[in-house]
Amino acid sequence: MGNCFSVQCGLDSFLLRGLDFIVGHANFVWKLKQTLPTLSAALEELKARRVDVKRRVDLAERILLKPLEEVQLWLSKAETMITEAEELVSNGPQQMNNLCLGGCASKSCLSSYKFGKKVNKMLQEISDLKWEGVFEKVAEDPPPAPVVVRPEEQAVALESTIQKVWSCIVETNVGIIGLYGLGGVGKTTLLTKLNNKFSTTPNDFEVVIWALVSKDYDVEKIQDRIGENVGFPQSWKNKSVDQKAIDICGMLSNKRFVVLLDDLWKKVDLSLVGIPEPSQTKSSKLIFTTRSWDVCCYMEAKTKIKVECLEPEKAWELFQDKVGDEALNSHPDIPNLAKQVAERCGGLPLALITIGRAMACKTTLGEWNYAIEMLKRCALPQMEDDVFSLLKFSYDNLPNATMRSCFLYCCLHPEDYCIPRKRLVEYWFCEGLLIEFDRISEAQMQSDHIINSLLNACLLENGGEIHGEECVKMHDVIRDMALWITRNSEATENNFFVKAGAQLYEEPDVKAWESVKRMSVMTNKIEVLKETPKCPNLRTLFLSQNELQVISDGFFQFMPHLTVLDLSRNLRLRVLPEGISQLVCLECLDLSFTGISELPKGLKSLRKLKMLDLSYMHNLRKIPQHLISSFSQLQIFLMWWSGCGDYPNEDNVLYGGNEKLIGELKGLQRLSILRIQKRHVWSRMGK
């Protein structure tokens, strides 16, 4: 009897628990009529909360505050939860249709139960997230930018100068410090060491900023470099110069800062850039380098420090290091001759390094005596003549005229310009400077030798990589020296006209360049070329990176020997002039990044064309049939096209895909470099 009672109690307990379970689960179904509207209301409240928080974050970012990480995380969670809740609400009508018996049951019990449970859980999660989204503040001042450690070059005997500058830095009454001296004396190296010293020596400065200025400085470029240093968002670059100045000033005014400006050629108006006067802000510092004492005065430098050339002992130490033991030990008399060469360098580090490397392979007394005799012809009364005359020795010491011409060709580019190696080689090849080979694939070997030789002689520098392409650049002193050579040379071979990066708004006076052989006005703001110049000797013309819109039909009419024409990066240039068909000697035509929509049939007259670059011509819609196939000498063809949009179907190799274009290219027997990019997919062909 007792056992029966026990079984009965257990059964009752089981039934009660089962009933509770059923009622609890059914509860999710019964309450759908109440929970769904409640969820919709809660969703709208969460959306409103997210809009409010996002608005506060946007306002904070406008005044250059940094959003808090917890706020960013909450916004991300809210966005995800809103998406999930909207999906539940959108499925609500279907679930409500499944209800029957006045909402007490469902035609699909399991589905309604699961849905009701999700709604209930989402209500709780939204409630919790709304409370988490109550923020006292959503952003704060960005942390002080750390010192960006810069690569250092070899420095000789700069320790005392560094200490002298550092002692001025710790003085509260010295706000602006000017470092001046000859080009190539080591001012940039000194400024780099000072920059890096801030990262290793305890100090009270909150932010250290480095910016390269250069000749023909651009206020906006300086501002952008400062913005990168202090961590302004990328979108900040879209602001006006005035607004950027306000932002920079607002950020620096409340901080103890150090601004390092390299290579000033004239007074920089600090107020235009947005740099507060250091004397007025928390003992902040402005340190700059220049070649001119006058610039130090114009900049109102409290302390002016001359960066001196090396003492004879240190100069000899540096020269020995660059020449190397092999050359110095090749004859017992060479060390004494080498000391005379080093003395003629006047302690100028750039000259010591450049000439030292040039002498590294000289192992005979005759070569060293010749070097001494050449150096004796250069006096040192003034900076330009001294530096250029000394540096010209390295130019004269290049093994052949080809290498010298290739070196001078580099000065057609603007100051501090990173020159893509491949493009430089293509220009050399088409201009006829690489005379050992008649195919670009073979000429690469000669060009690699030339570039490496120029790098080893310090006449070129490594410019790093830009968009995956290796670049070279010219030190500003070396470039000035190269331009000086072209101006003073009696040979027509070196007749240059260079106004690259000179802030030109109109084409230069025709009379100034009608007789030149090579001309560059790249990186300016020229919009119209309206003249009809007569240039019987012109072989290279760089017009890239301007704002060209119109080129007169007569502009190219009297350039019978033009070989290299660069019109690239003129996005507003929509039409080529008819006169371009007169350039029958043209071998290189670069139209990349232009707005041209159609290639004219008149280009068929360019029978000598070896390189044609149509890369990133987003508007290009038509290439006449049989035009590309008429370039029988073509060796390099580069092209980017979208493959979408309206393409005229009449006489157009681009209509209907690229099969017609590829067909014409396959008939070109000398083509060795082909790159066609369509919708970010590259086609390649090599021969």
Side-chain angles (χ1 to χ4, degrees):
M1 187 69 178
N3 289 338
C4 292
F5 178 76
S6 175
V7 169
Q8 183 64 42
C9 289
L11 180 60
D12 291 345
S13 176
F14 173 77
L15 290 173
L16 286 171
R17 286 196 301 271
L19 182 61
D20 289 343
F21 178 80
I22 293 170
V23 171
H25 282 59
N27 216 19
F28 291 128
V29 179
W30 297 338
K31 291 187 176 181
L32 272 177
K33 284 188 176 181
Q34 292 80 34
T35 55
L36 270 174
T38 305
L39 177 61
S40 295
L43 174 60
E44 294 306 313
E45 291 175 2
L46 179 60
K47 285 181 177 179
R49 178 67 53 83
R50 184 181 183 279
V51 169
D52 289 342
V53 174
K54 186 67 168 63
R55 184 184 296 114
R56 291 172 64 192
V57 168
D58 291 342
L59 288 172
E61 287 183 328
R62 288 180 191 174
I63 58 174
L64 305 176
L65 298 180
K66 180 178 175 60
L68 297 174
E69 291 295 333
E70 63 175 342
V71 176
Q72 299 280 50
L73 180 60
W74 185 89
L75 287 170
S76 178
K77 285 182 178 179
E79 184 176 1
T80 301
M81 193 170 292
I82 287 169
T83 301
E84 294 173 354
E86 286 177 337
E87 185 178 355
L88 286 175
V89 171
S90 67
N91 292 333
Q94 180 181 349
Q95 293 294 334
M96 293 298 292
N97 289 335
N98 289 335
L99 298 181
C100 58
L101 299 178
C104 296
S106 172
K107 300 173 186 176
S108 178
C109 293
L110 182 60
S111 173
S112 295
Y113 156 69
K114 289 182 177 179
F115 182 77
K117 187 176 182 181
K118 286 182 180 179
V119 169
N120 200 64
K121 181 182 178 184
M122 181 59 70
L123 273 170
Q124 185 60 48
E125 289 178 350
I126 288 178
S127 177
D128 293 342
L129 191 63
K130 282 194 299 181
W131 283 110
E132 291 175 11
V134 178
F135 298 105
E136 183 178 347
K137 64 176 184 177
V138 298
E140 60 186 2
D141 288 332
V147 179
V148 178
V149 177
R150 300 177 62 83
E152 292 185 14
E153 298 178 359
Q154 179 183 359
V156 178
L158 283 177
E159 293 80 6
S160 61
T161 308
I162 292 172
Q163 282 305 119
K164 187 175 181 181
V165 177
W166 196 259
S167 65
C168 295
I169 290 172
V170 299
E171 289 184 23
T172 57
N173 65 332
V174 178
I176 303 179
I177 302 170
L179 308 177
Y180 71 98
L182 292 175
V185 78
K187 301 183 296 297
T188 299
T189 301
L190 173 59
L191 201 65
T192 301
K193 286 194 164 291
L194 287 170
N195 176 83
N196 295 347
K197 188 176 175 66
F198 283 105
S199 70
T200 58
T201 304
N203 61 81
D204 297 323
F205 294 101
E206 298 172 83
V207 59
V208 178
I209 298 170
W210 172 291
L212 176 66
V213 179
S214 298
K215 195 185 300 182
D216 301 318
Y217 80 95
D218 186 309
V219 170
E220 190 167 16
K221 286 182 179 178
I222 299 174
Q223 291 175 327
D224 289 345
R225 287 164 183 155
I226 292 174
E228 291 170 1
N229 269 258
V230 299
F232 286 171
Q234 188 69 22
S235 59
W236 180 80
K237 290 186 176 181
N238 297 326
K239 291 189 175 185
S240 67
V241 171
D242 290 342
Q243 187 58 54
K244 287 178 181 178
I246 293 171
D247 292 344
I248 292 171
C249 186
M251 186 275 298
L252 292 180
S253 294
N254 298 318
K255 297 184 183 297
R256 193 162 186 246
F257 64 82
V258 177
V259 174
L260 306 171
L261 300 180
D262 188 31
D263 198 18
L264 270 66
W265 289 77
K266 55 186 176 183
K267 175 179 170 60
V268 172
D269 191 330
L270 300 181
S271 63
L272 290 180
V273 179
I275 301 173
E277 287 290 338
S279 58
Q280 301 173 4
T281 45
K282 299 185 177 183
S283 299
S284 295
K285 308 294 177 184
L286 170 67
I287 308 172
F288 64 87
T289 66
T290 179
R291 297 185 191 180
S292 170
W293 164 274
D294 290 339
V295 171
C296 291
C297 297
Y298 298 149
M299 292 297 296
E300 301 180 39
K302 180 75 173 180
T303 299
K304 307 174 188 69
I305 297 175
K306 184 176 182 180
V307 183
E308 302 283 359
C309 291
L310 300 178
E311 295 294 329
E313 182 179 343
K314 292 296 183 180
W316 172 236
E317 178 182 323
L318 177 60
F319 190 72
Q320 285 184 96
D321 180 67
K322 298 306 172 186
V323 174
D325 293 338
E326 182 179 354
L328 290 172
N329 297 330
S330 59
H331 191 282
D333 292 339
I334 284 181
N336 287 330
L337 297 175
K339 285 183 179 180
Q340 295 180 48
V341 174
E343 289 171 2
R344 297 299 304 178
C345 292
L348 187 66
L350 186 58
L352 289 161
I353 292 170
T354 305
I355 296 175
R357 288 181 176 172
M359 299 303 297
C361 58
K362 308 303 181 187
T363 58
T364 68
L365 294 178
E367 290 172 315
W368 282 91
N369 281 315
Y370 175 75
I372 293 170
E373 182 59 32
M374 292 296 293
L375 288 171
K376 283 181 178 178
R377 301 180 184 182
C378 301
L380 301 173
Q382 297 178 356
M383 186 193 77
E384 287 191 358
D385 287 344
D386 297 345
V387 176
F388 295 162
S389 295
L390 288 169
L391 294 180
K392 188 175 180 295
F393 173 78
S394 291
Y395 166 82
D396 292 332
N397 199 55
L398 292 172
N400 52 58
T402 296
M403 196 172 291
R404 287 191 285 274
S405 294
C406 289
F407 164 71
L408 292 178
Y409 201 94
C410 296
C411 76
L412 292 169
H413 298 86
E415 187 173 292
D416 298 316
Y417 191 87
C418 291
I419 312 168
R421 287 179 62 145
K422 286 184 179 179
R423 184 46 45 97
L424 183 61
V425 170
E426 289 162 358
Y427 288 161
W428 285 350
F429 175 71
C430 292
E431 238 259 15
L433 299 180
L434 307 179
I435 57 177
E436 293 182 10
F437 305 97
D438 61 359
R439 299 185 73 94
I440 183 63
S441 55
E442 299 168 340
Q444 291 281 0
M445 295 183 292
Q446 184 185 4
S447 63
D448 286 343
H449 168 68
I450 291 173
I451 290 176
N452 290 332
S453 297
L454 294 174
L455 287 169
N456 292 339
C458 289
L459 293 173
L460 285 182
E461 299 175 349
N462 284 312
E465 285 191 3
I466 296 181
H467 304 306
E469 285 197 45
E470 291 185 7
C471 297
V472 294
K473 60 189 296 188
M474 299 185 88
H475 186 284
D476 56 355
V477 177
I478 298 291
R479 179 178 177 272
D480 286 346
M481 182 267 293
L483 291 171
W484 175 74
I485 291 172
T486 65
R487 288 194 299 266
N488 290 279
S489 175
E490 295 180 0
T492 56
E493 178 71 23
N494 298 332
N495 197 354
F496 284 51
F497 182 92
V498 181
K499 293 290 183 182
Q503 301 292 310
L504 299 180
Y505 287 85
E506 297 179 351
E507 61 183 308
D509 185 1
V510 171
K511 294 180 180 179
W513 54 276
E514 278 190 324
S515 63
V516 303
K517 186 170 185 178
R518 299 185 179 103
M519 174 178 177
S520 173
V521 289
M522 64 183 293
T523 321
N524 283 293
K525 299 181 180 180
I526 301 172
E527 296 183 358
V528 178
L529 296 174
K530 58 186 177 181
E531 299 292 340
T532 305
K534 294 180 175 143
C535 306
N537 304 316
L538 190 64
R539 293 182 61 87
T540 289
L541 178 58
F542 286 177
L543 296 168
S544 63
Q545 300 183 57
N546 275 278
E547 298 179 8
L548 287 177
Q549 299 179 52
V550 177
I551 302 176
S552 70
D553 288 336
F555 184 81
F556 296 118
Q557 188 172 355
F558 301 106
M559 299 180 182
H561 297 106
L562 189 64
T563 306
V564 175
L565 175 60
D566 186 352
L567 289 168
S568 65
R569 298 185 182 275
N570 283 288
L571 294 175
R572 299 164 71 185
L573 183 62
R574 301 303 175 92
V575 179
L576 286 173
E578 292 182 5
I580 199 169
S581 62
Q582 302 292 319
L583 302 178
V584 294
C585 287
L586 199 65
E587 297 188 14
C588 172
L589 178 58
D590 188 350
L591 300 176
S592 60
F593 292 95
T594 60
I596 294 167
S597 60
E598 178 178 348
L599 298 187
K601 290 183 179 180
L603 292 182
K604 283 187 177 182
S605 62
L606 310 185
R607 299 289 184 179
K608 295 185 178 181
L609 204 63
K610 294 180 180 177
M611 195 277 274
L612 178 60
D613 191 345
L614 308 179
S615 302
Y616 298 99
M617 294 177 64
H618 297 271
N619 296 331
L620 186 61
R621 291 292 180 269
K622 182 176 180 180
I623 300 178
Q625 290 184 5
H626 311 302
L627 174 62
I628 301 299
S629 59
S630 70
F631 303 141
S632 60
Q633 301 300 310
L634 198 66
Q635 299 191 36
I636 306 166
F637 182 79
L638 312 174
M639 183 177 177
W640 184 101
W641 68 311
S642 64
C644 58
D646 296 324
Y647 288 82
N649 60 6
E650 183 178 350
D651 188 29
N652 186 8
V653 297
L654 297 182
Y655 180 74
N658 59 7
E659 290 78 14
K660 296 178 183 177
L661 175 62
I662 294 296
E664 292 199 20
L665 289 167
K666 284 183 177 179
L668 300 175
Q669 299 300 312
R670 300 180 67 83
L671 190 64
S672 58
I673 299 176
L674 167 63
R675 291 199 297 270
I676 300 179
Q677 184 184 16
K678 179 181 178 182
R679 293 178 181 173
H680 304 289
V681 177
W682 285 90
S683 300
R684 296 178 182 269
M685 182 175 77
K687 293 186 178 181

